[in-house]
């Protein structure tokens, strides 16, 4: 039976109207743009949050992850990568997004507790089994013949923390003598044969390619490598002094608003502060903020004297400008080292 | 018993030889002997000798340790070099994802974004003509070297779906914009073009000037629009078996590029359908194409058309006081056929155009046709586009480019009324032209072409004085084109 033209047009109109409705009823999609070693952490966080969000609202949420060197990731967001949420290695990178792309307000860091850093970490050493070069503290890294693997501070957030940790140690050892601290860090980077662009790349260089005697690494990344490679291959050495790394998180307001995901994006990063979120972080060797969870997982984390970037360097803006901007101290010492 | 042992031992020996090749077996024997020679004196050593031996062993150990250290260092150095190479390759791959590529080759100079969504091509169309006229040499038909076309070309793509083209011309002492348009290619069946470009009417006009078989187009192109400003929808359909184009334009006089502004509220409507029904693998008719172009509009306020010979000489002058006014219709049946190196192109143009003199409007019919035939001697395939030489010009290495012979016959005619209505004078303007052209083309490579044409145009239809002596010309062209 032939269809009447009016019926045909009505069906067309219904399809046209129903399309967006059906689309709107699909899962909410978020993109979390993060730094290099958080892949495994956010796989677990995403699954847990999706379950919780579904139970709470009845809506499915699909969270995609993007990983890379923290500075590189920030540049991608500035250049248009549609991140609803950023979880980067350091506040300076999110500041850059706020400053250059105006995608979130300048005071983003005050919107959540603990400077918007739901977990912390620090820089430790990963050495080969048996610690054949007898590496125990920062001084051992500047010895001739010790090969140190570290990523490039120009592109990696973890590398910047590692560099500043070494500088802080240099200052402490030399009673605050800045020049001697610089000499110390120069000697250290002279022992670095390869600069990877991110922490995960450095782990590959050290663990899979068998290069170097010691890897300067995020604590969580070092323990992950220990788990994966086995205690018969590598060991974690915690130095006497290191830096309190505070990887921050933020909703990218304008992108989330454009996608209509502001509410779920906020809930997502707040979930990181929840008991479950903190537990997941601790299981992945991120130091929890929650005192209860921290007490529960205290045995996982070695005692180390930690200093903050504000205490020693006056905050990220100053540290970035002096050490990591083009022509900064890192450029000078790395060229000098070469 | 002895024999049994002997055979057993011999059998074992064979088995051992099977396991250890003779060279290794011999090596083991000599090693055993050497060990014996070395060890026997050691047993017989004095305490001093033993100390010396221990010292020597220690030195050997140290040397071995040093050697091991050097091997380790070398191993690290190799691994570091390999890793650096790996990182450099990763960085290059990453760079390739985000950085534009710049290429310079036979298709011109190109800047392309990763993924090709943004593209800029810089090209050029340069033609230097040497015109040699035979005959009186009177008037403007003087022998000359002419920069016929000097056209830098900027074309490309933005936002993936939008192509653009900008091509001015600085040839013959003038500056004019020939092409300036953008084309939205979002729908495969309807590409929208906006700007200044060739309206879809004449076949040879739509052929790029660097692809035409002869140095100047045939007489039907005298009766069609050259460039105009407007909108056009066009597309290839049915696996390129058909192409359609429809458009609305300001309207320009015949063979004109217009003034880039409209001269009246009227618009020209143009349409063309062209069929190539046989796909490339569908036998001897695969090179057949035929179609029909047409336009209609109003000529009010337009300039009068200026018709030119093959030698680019104006041959027709309207009478004083004549203006363009009224309706204009252009009809243009057209076809080509290519088979191997052989090519045939034919086109007919029929126009009816309105003119006015002393308040009286008349419509005059113009007709023109051409038929051209060509053959590429060096075996390349003839098509609507220029051939690519199998062996670019390089005589020392056996390359002579592609050589082509071609001939064309054409005719142009205005109806008799053009005299009787007083729109032109039979004593100054012929109303009939007949031309034939023979040519040799040498495509030295994809970019450079040298072409020599001999053309003869006879004039007729008017009074004795307007039927001037035939125009005979040798037109030599040097052409560089990359786009």
């Amino acid at each position: 039976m032939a269809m009447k033209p009016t019926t045909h047009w009505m069906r067309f109109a219904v399809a046209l109207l129903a399309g967006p409705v059906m689309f709107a009823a699909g899962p909410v999609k978020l993109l979390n743009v993060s730094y290099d070693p958080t892949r495994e952490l956010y796989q677990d966080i995403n699954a847990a949050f999706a379950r919780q969000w579904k139970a709470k609202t009845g809506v499915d949420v699909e969270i995609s992850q993007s990983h890379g060197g923290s500075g590189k990731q920030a540049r991608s967001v500035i250049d248009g990568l549609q991140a609803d949420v950023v979880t980067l290695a350091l506040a300076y990178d999110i500041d850059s997004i706020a400053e250059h792309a105006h995608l979130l307000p300048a005071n983003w860091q005050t919107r959540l507790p603990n400077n918007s850093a739901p977990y912390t970490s620090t820089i430790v050493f990963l050495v080969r089994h048996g610690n054949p070069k007898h590496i125990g503290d920062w001084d051992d890294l500047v010895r001739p013949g010790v090969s140190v693997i570290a990523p490039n501070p120009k592109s990696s957030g973890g590398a910047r923390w590692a560099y500043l940790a070494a500088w802080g140690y240099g200052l402490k050892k030399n009673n605050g003598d800045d020049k001697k601290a610089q000499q110390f860090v120069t000697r250290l980077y002279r022992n670095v044969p390869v600069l990877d662009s991110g922490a995960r790349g450095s782990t590959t260089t050290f663990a899979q390619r068998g290069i170097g005697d010691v890897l300067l690494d995020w604590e969580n990344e070092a323990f992950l490598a220990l788990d994966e490679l086995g205690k018969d291959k590598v060991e974690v050495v915690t130095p006497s002094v290191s830096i309190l790394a505070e990887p921050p998180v933020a909703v990218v307001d304008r992108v989330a608003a454009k996608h209509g995901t502001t509410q779920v994006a906020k809930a997502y990063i707040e979930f990181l502060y929840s008991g479950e979120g903190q537990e997941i972080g601790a299981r992945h060797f991120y130091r929890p903020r929650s005192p209860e969870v921290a007490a529960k997982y205290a045995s996982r984390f070695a005692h180390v004297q930690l200093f903050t970037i504000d205490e020693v360097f006056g905050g990220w803006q100053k540290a970035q400008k002096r050490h990591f901007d083009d022509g900064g101290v890192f450029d000078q010492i790395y060229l000098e080292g070469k | 018993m002895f024999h049994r042992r002997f055979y057993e031992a011999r059998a074992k020996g064979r088995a051992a030889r099977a396991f250890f090749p003779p060279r290794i077996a011999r090596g083991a024997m000599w090693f055993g002997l050497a060990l014996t020679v070395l060890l026997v004196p050691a047993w017989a050593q004095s305490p001093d000798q033993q100390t010396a031996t221990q010292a020597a062993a220690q030195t050997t150990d140290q040397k071995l340790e040093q050697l091991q250290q050097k091997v380790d260092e070398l191993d690290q150095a190799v691994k570091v070099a390999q890793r650096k190479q790996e990182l450099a390759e990763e960085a290059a791959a990453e760079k390739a994802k985000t950085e534009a590529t710049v290429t310079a080759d036979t298709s011109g100079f190109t800047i392309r974004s990763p993924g090709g969504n943004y593209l800029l091509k810089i090209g050029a169309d340069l033609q230097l003509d040497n015109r040699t006229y035979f005959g009186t040499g009177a008037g403007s038909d003087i022998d000359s070297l002419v920069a016929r076309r000097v056209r830098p070309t900027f074309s490309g793509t933005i936002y993936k779906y939008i192509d653009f083209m900008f091509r001015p011309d600085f040839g013959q002492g003038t500056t004019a914009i020939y092409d300036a348009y953008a084309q939205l290619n979002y729908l495969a069946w309807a590409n929208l073009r906006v700007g200044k470009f060739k309206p879809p009417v004449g076949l040879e006009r739509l052929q790029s000037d660097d692809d035409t078989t002869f140095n100047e187009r045939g007489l039907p192109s005298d009766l069609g629009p050259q460039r105009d400003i407007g909108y056009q929808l066009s597309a290839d359909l049915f696996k390129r078996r058909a192409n359609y184009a429809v458009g609305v334009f300001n309207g320009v006089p015949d063979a004109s590029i217009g003034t880039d502004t409209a001269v009246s509220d009227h618009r020209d409507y143009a349409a063309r359908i062209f069929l190539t029904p046989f796909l490339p693998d569908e036998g001897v008719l695969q090179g057949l194409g035929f179609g029909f172009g047409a336009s209609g509009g109003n000529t009010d306020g337009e300039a009068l058309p200026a018709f030119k010979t093959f030698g680019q000489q104006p041959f027709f002058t309207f009478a004083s006081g004549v203006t363009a006014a009224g309706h204009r219709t252009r009809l243009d049946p057209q076809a080509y056929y290519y088979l191997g190196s052989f090519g045939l192109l034919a086109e007919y143009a029929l126009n009816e155009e309105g003119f006015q003199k002393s308040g009286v409007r008349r419509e005059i019919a113009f007709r023109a046709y051409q038929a051209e035939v060509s053959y590429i001697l060096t075996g390349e395939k003839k098509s609507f586009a220029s051939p690519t030489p199998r062996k670019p010009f390089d005589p020392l290495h056996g390359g002579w480019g592609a050589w082509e012979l071609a001939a064309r016959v054409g005719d142009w005619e205005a109806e008799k009324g053009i005299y009787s209505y007083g729109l032109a004078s039979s004593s100054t303007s012929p109303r009939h032209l007949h031309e034939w052209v023979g040519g040799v083309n040498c495509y030295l490579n994809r970019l450079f072409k040298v072409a020599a044409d001999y053309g003869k145009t006879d004039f007729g239809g008017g009074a004795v004085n307007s039927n001037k002596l035939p125009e005979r010309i040798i037109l030599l062209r040097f052409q560089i084109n990359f786009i």
Side-chain angles (χ1 to χ4, degrees), chain A residues 128-130 226 229-235:
Chain A
R128 305 216 177 271
H129 177 61
L226 189 68
L229 298 170
K231 289 179 181 170
D232 58 333
K233 293 280 192 305
V234 289
E235 294 174 14

Side-chain angles (χ1 to χ4, degrees), chain A residues 125-296:
Chain A
F125 308 153
L126 194 68
V127 298
R128 305 216 177 271
H129 177 61
N131 196 357
K133 292 286 174 91
H134 311 294
I135 289 158
D137 210 342
W138 292 98
D139 284 327
D140 299 317
L141 307 189
V142 300
R143 276 195 275 122
V146 172
S147 175
V148 181
I149 301 302
N152 189 344
K154 305 284 278 188
S155 56
S156 160
R160 269 175 273 181
W161 286 114
Y163 169 101
L164 294 175
W167 194 285
Y169 175 81
L171 282 174
K172 183 171 181 286
K173 186 188 170 196
N174 296 293
N175 300 317
D177 188 329
D178 205 51
K179 204 167 181 179
K180 285 186 176 169
Q182 180 166 336
Q183 284 169 356
F184 177 79
V185 176
T186 304
R187 284 169 62 202
L188 193 157
Y189 277 91
R190 201 170 286 161
N191 283 352
V192 177
V194 182
L195 278 180
D196 287 272
S197 64
R200 188 53 58 90
S202 281
T203 306
T204 302
T205 299
F206 180 78
Q208 290 177 14
R209 301 293 184 270
I211 300 171
D213 303 308
V214 52
L215 171 67
L216 277 186
D217 210 354
W218 289 99
E219 184 178 46
N220 56 285
E221 183 78 347
F223 277 108
L224 185 72
L226 189 68
D227 267 3
E228 287 188 356
L229 298 170
K231 289 179 181 170
D232 58 333
K233 293 280 192 305
V234 289
E235 294 174 14
V236 175
V237 173
T238 307
S240 60
V241 175
S242 195
I243 196 163
L244 179 71
E246 295 180 295
V249 300
V251 173
V252 185
D253 296 32
R254 283 178 62 185
V255 176
K258 190 172 86 177
H259 295 166
T261 54
T262 304
Q263 190 190 358
V264 64
K266 276 184 181 171
Y268 176 65
I269 60 170
E270 281 164 10
F271 177 75
L272 298 169
Y273 287 89
S274 69
E276 190 180 0
Q278 291 281 292
E279 287 250 0
I280 294 170
R283 285 204 294 274
H284 285 273
F285 301 99
Y286 292 86
R287 296 183 176 224
R289 291 287 198 183
S290 155
E292 295 79 26
V293 179
K296 184 175 171 186

Side-chain angles (χ1 to χ4, degrees), chain B residues 1-14:
Chain B
M1 188 67 180
F2 173 80
H3 287 289
R4 194 175 151 203
R5 283 184 183 165
F6 173 80
Y7 284 121
E8 280 174 0
R10 207 169 68 167
K12 280 179 185 170
R14 274 202 300 270

Side-chain angles (χ1 to χ4, degrees), chain A residues 16-175:
Chain A
L16 213 61
L17 290 170
V21 174
M22 286 167 69
F23 180 76
V28 178
K29 292 182 179 177
L30 283 185
L31 173 60
N32 175 7
V33 172
S34 194
Y35 60 109
D36 229 358
T38 58
R39 287 172 177 82
E40 296 76 13
L41 166 70
Y42 280 106
Q43 278 165 12
D44 287 357
I45 289 281
N46 294 349
F49 174 74
R51 272 195 306 274
Q52 193 210 59
W53 188 253
K54 172 82 174 172
K56 191 175 164 186
T57 64
V59 176
D60 288 316
V61 59
E62 279 180 16
I63 303 152
S64 306
Q65 299 173 218
S66 167
H67 297 272
S70 185
K72 205 169 88 178
Q73 292 291 80
R75 275 195 294 279
S76 297
V77 174
I78 291 167
D79 291 344
L81 182 60
Q82 295 288 295
D84 302 275
V85 167
V86 283
T87 53
L88 296 179
L90 41 96
Y92 178 81
D93 289 331
I94 303 183
D95 280 341
S96 293
I97 297 170
E99 185 187 346
H100 295 112
H102 308 292
L103 296 176
L104 66 170
N107 69 342
W108 62 271
Q109 209 168 0
T110 61
R111 298 191 298 191
L112 287 166
N114 304 115
N115 289 328
S116 291
Y119 41 78
T120 65
S121 189
T122 190
I123 299 299
V124 299
F125 308 153
L126 194 68
V127 298
R128 305 216 177 271
H129 177 61
N131 196 357
K133 292 286 174 91
H134 311 294
I135 289 158
D137 210 342
W138 292 98
D139 284 327
D140 299 317
L141 307 189
V142 300
R143 276 195 275 122
V146 172
S147 175
V148 181
I149 301 302
N152 189 344
K154 305 284 278 188
S155 56
S156 160
R160 269 175 273 181
W161 286 114
Y163 169 101
L164 294 175
W167 194 285
Y169 175 81
L171 282 174
K172 183 171 181 286
K173 186 188 170 196
N174 296 293
N175 300 317

Side-chain angles (χ1 to χ4, degrees), chain A residues 193 196 201 205 209-210 212, chain B residues 76 79-80 83-84 86-87 94:
Chain A
D196 287 272
T205 299
R209 301 293 184 270
Chain B
Q76 282 288 300
K79 283 176 176 170
V80 165
R83 182 63 175 153
K84 280 184 172 172
E86 210 172 88
L87 291 174
E94 194 63 29

Side-chain angles (χ1 to χ4, degrees), chain B residues 158-175:
Chain B
I158 52 173
Y159 286 104
K160 187 178 180 180
Y161 299 110
I162 302 170
D163 290 346
F164 67 89
M165 160 77 93
F166 174 64
R167 177 152 57 174
D169 186 16
F170 304 106
Q172 302 182 87
T174 59
T175 301

Side-chain angles (χ1 to χ4, degrees), chain B residues 443-463:
Chain B
Y443 303 90
L444 278 79
N445 49 50
R446 272 192 65 183
L447 307 183
F448 190 53
K449 173 186 172 186
V450 180
D453 292 345
Y454 173 77
K456 178 170 180 284
T457 304
D458 293 305
F459 306 93

Side-chain angles (χ1 to χ4, degrees), chain B residues 406-417:
Chain B
R408 178 172 87 193
V409 61
D411 210 272
W412 181 96
E413 187 179 34
E415 70 164 272
K416 281 182 182 174

